[in-house]
């Protein structure tokens, strides 16, 4: 059924109809497999239920927590913003790996749990209060497999005529937020902690190794997916090449893209443009920048009265779901975007922090480098491919239902509501 963590929910006839309905429109897409078949275990995006549990800076989250737990009972309930899933009296188990309270939040008086850095939609990193009592749907199955070996592929929401990337990859726990369109799915690369049991259709690695050699690994498949995945109404389409030369070129490109997406994580180098093209702050960003604008002739980004250049046009125009990433990033941090909020969301920095300027420079660099690799992605789908029919003939498809469900990874007891241990 739609919405379950395991499967797509639509039948094969529905998938074919969705592919034919529009979007990419390529005839090749009718034969190419879906990412949903290649990486079958997927999880829906997190649903916080209250936006104040996420912020661009950790200090704001600590200040919000302190204000909440020190408020009188009636004020605390108003600030909490109860939903059907969470109220101050909802009994909830702890999130896996997080040392947070499990007593009713109405009785909470302790210190703020340490905020965790997350991927907040594509190409934005923010902070989250990792307290299960504050999050409507935290997806514990993701937290159980999030470790120093895990990578997450995050599909972007489908929007017709979207020319942006179909997915992104992160080493951070992703919330799966989509700037436009229906949110996609989160697909861990591994089903178990420690980098064990790739989240790939059973038999897929063996089939690809038979075609392209023993160098085919789970990471190589992820690199190919990152380079070749395309939008379609039925979900991400991933053409698989039959010839090894095209596979090798696509994996090499995907590995470059992966290093950029990871932004220094897992030993990767942080994104850097050549010396003459690196963006610099020409005029300091003011304490309260009132807007963002771009001048293509001078390649200058103005942040209030601040100026950053050179900013390549490809970085400014880089979009996901039709939304400019630089504008979205700035809007989440600007004072103008917070004028109409109240309650705990209004607790935010009074002045633009210096680290936000550093993050902006890195984001410009990342988007410029990604845009520069766009021409190399063209043509990856050209030529003979391994079709969905080929995968069915080889027994790779259809994927067994068990591969679409989370693996049983509970190696220890997890604390349940009010300090009781959860039954395993």
């Amino acid at each position: 059924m739609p919405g379950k963590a395991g499967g797509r929910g639509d039948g094969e006839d529905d998938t074919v109809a969705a592919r034919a309905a529009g979007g990419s429109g390529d005839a090749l897409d009718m034969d190419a497999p879906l990412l949903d078949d290649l990486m079958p275990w997927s999880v829906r995006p997190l649903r916080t239920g209250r936006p104040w549990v996420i912020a661009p800076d950790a200090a704001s989250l600590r200040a919000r927590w302190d204000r909440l737990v020190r408020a009188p009972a009636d004020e605390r309930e108003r600030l909490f913003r109860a939903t059907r899933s969470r109220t101050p009296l909802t009994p909830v188990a702890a999130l896996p790996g997080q040392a947070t309270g499990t007593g009713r939040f109405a009785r909470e008086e302790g210190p703020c749990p340490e905020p965790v850095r997350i991927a907040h939609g594509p190409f934005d990193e923010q902070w989250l209060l990792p307290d299960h009592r504050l999050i409507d749907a935290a997806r514990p199955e993701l937290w159980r497999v999030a470790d120093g070996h895990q990578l997450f592929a995050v599909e972007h929401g489908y929007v017709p005529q979207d020319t942006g990337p179909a997915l992104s990859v992160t080493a951070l726990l992703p919330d799966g937020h989509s700037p436009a369109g229906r949110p996609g799915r989160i697909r861990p690369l591994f089903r178990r902690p420690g980098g064990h049991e790739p989240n790939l259709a059973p038999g897929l690695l063996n089939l690809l190794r038979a075609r392209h050699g023993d160098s085919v690994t789970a990471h190589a498949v992820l690199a190919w997916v990152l380079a070749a995945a395309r939008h379609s109404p039925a979900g991400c389409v991933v053409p698989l090449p039959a010839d090894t030369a095209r596979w090798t070129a696509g994996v090499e490109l995907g590995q470059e893209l992966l290093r950029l997406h990871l932004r220094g994580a897992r030993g990767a180098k942080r994104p850097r443009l050549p010396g003459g093209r690196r963006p610099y702050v020409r005029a300091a960003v003011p304490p309260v920048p009132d807007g963002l604008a771009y001048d293509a002739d001078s390649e200058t980004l103005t942040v209030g009265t601040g100026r950053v250049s050179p900013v390549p046009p490809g970085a400014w125009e880089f979009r996901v779901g039709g939304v400019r990433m630089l504008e979205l990033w700035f809007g989440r941090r600007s004072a103008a975007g917070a004028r109409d909020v109240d309650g705990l969301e209004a607790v935010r920095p009074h002045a633009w922090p210096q680290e936000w300027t550093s993050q902006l420079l890195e984001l410009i660099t990342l988007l410029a480098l990604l845009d520069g690799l766009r021409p190399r992605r063209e043509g990856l789908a050209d030529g003979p491919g391994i079709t969905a029919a080929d995968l069915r003939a080889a027994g790779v498809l259809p994927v067994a239902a068990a591969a679409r469900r989370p693996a049983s990874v509970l190696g220890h007891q997890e604390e349940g509501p009010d300090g009781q241990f959860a039954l395993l």
Side-chain angles (χ1 to χ4, degrees):
M1 295 295 293
K4 289 187 178 180
R8 230 174 25 239
D10 46 359
E12 187 171 346
D13 292 342
D14 294 335
T15 298
V16 172
R19 288 180 171 186
S24 61
D26 290 347
L28 290 173
D29 287 351
M30 296 294 293
D31 298 321
L34 294 172
L35 180 60
D36 189 58
D37 286 328
L38 303 183
M39 299 181 70
W41 175 41
S42 66
V43 181
R44 285 177 292 171
L46 276 63
R47 190 177 75 250
T48 61
R50 46 204 53 79
W52 58 263
V53 299
I54 293 179
D57 65 303
S60 291
L61 293 180
R62 296 189 182 98
R64 292 171 185 179
W65 174 281
D66 290 343
R67 179 178 172 186
L68 181 63
V69 299
R70 293 175 182 174
D74 56 344
E75 176 70 0
R76 176 183 290 203
E77 186 167 353
R78 185 187 71 83
L79 292 173
F80 186 94
R81 291 194 180 180
T83 59
R84 287 192 302 171
S85 298
R86 293 290 185 270
T87 75
L89 297 176
T90 304
V92 184
L95 277 175
Q98 300 299 314
T100 54
T102 58
R104 311 299 169 97
F105 196 85
R107 302 193 297 264
E108 179 63 64
E109 296 178 350
C112 178
E114 190 61 28
V116 298
R117 198 156 182 81
I118 65 167
H120 182 47
F123 310 115
D124 194 358
E125 297 180 358
Q126 299 208 14
W127 297 87
L128 169 72
L129 285 173
D131 193 312
H132 209 180
R133 300 169 297 179
L134 306 178
I135 305 172
D136 280 10
R139 315 303 179 197
E141 59 270 39
L142 287 180
W143 296 76
R144 291 191 183 104
V145 299
D147 63 10
H149 302 274
Q150 187 64 267
L151 296 174
F152 299 95
V154 185
E155 296 179 47
H156 302 158
Y158 172 71
V159 176
Q161 312 305 321
D162 185 7
T163 60
L167 56 84
S168 55
V169 174
T170 178
L172 299 174
L173 185 95
D175 64 6
H177 179 79
S178 180
R182 183 177 181 180
R185 311 282 289 200
I186 300 168
R187 301 181 188 274
L189 180 58
F190 297 103
R191 291 169 52 81
R192 298 180 185 275
H196 298 300
E197 191 178 337
N199 177 27
L200 298 174
L204 178 63
L205 274 180
N206 288 338
L207 181 146
L208 292 175
R209 285 169 179 163
R211 291 266 189 166
H212 306 310
D214 292 339
S215 63
V216 176
T217 64
H219 283 93
V221 174
L222 180 64
W224 172 267
V225 167
L226 186 57
R230 299 203 300 268
H231 295 286
S232 89
C236 285
V237 174
V238 184
L240 292 176
D243 57 295
T244 300
R246 195 153 46 96
W247 167 265
T248 301
V251 169
E252 289 177 353
L253 171 58
Q255 289 171 339
E256 289 185 49
L257 291 167
L258 191 58
R259 284 191 290 270
L260 294 176
H261 281 236
L262 294 184
R263 300 166 77 162
R266 307 293 156 79
K269 294 183 179 179
R270 301 199 76 86
R272 295 193 71 180
L273 284 163
R277 298 300 298 159
R278 290 176 193 163
Y280 290 94
V281 177
R282 310 298 179 173
V285 178
V288 185
D290 56 3
L292 191 73
Y294 180 69
D295 181 74
D297 293 335
S298 62
E299 295 191 344
T300 298
L301 185 72
T302 56
V303 189
T305 57
R307 290 184 294 108
V308 177
S309 68
V311 176
W316 170 251
E317 288 296 340
F318 198 100
R319 301 169 189 251
V320 175
V323 178
R324 280 197 184 101
M325 290 294 96
L326 285 175
E327 288 183 322
L328 180 64
W329 184 93
F330 175 78
R332 290 169 173 167
R333 291 159 176 80
S334 70
R339 285 172 185 162
D340 296 328
V341 302
D342 59 2
L344 295 176
E345 287 178 76
V347 178
R348 60 186 312 279
H350 297 295
W352 183 272
Q354 176 60 41
E355 58 263 30
W356 286 2
T357 301
S358 300
Q359 292 168 16
L360 175 60
L361 295 176
E362 181 177 85
L363 180 59
I364 292 169
T365 299
L366 170 65
L367 299 180
L369 290 169
L370 290 175
D371 181 72
L373 293 175
R374 194 189 302 263
R376 289 176 56 187
R377 299 181 61 193
E378 299 176 2
L380 282 181
D382 298 338
I386 302 172
T387 66
D390 294 331
L391 296 180
R392 285 191 292 271
V396 175
L397 299 181
V399 177
R404 296 191 181 278
R405 294 193 294 265
S408 177
V409 300
L410 296 179
H412 62 280
Q413 289 183 314
E414 294 180 358
E415 187 174 330
D418 290 321
Q420 301 296 317
F421 282 113
L423 295 176
L424 303 185

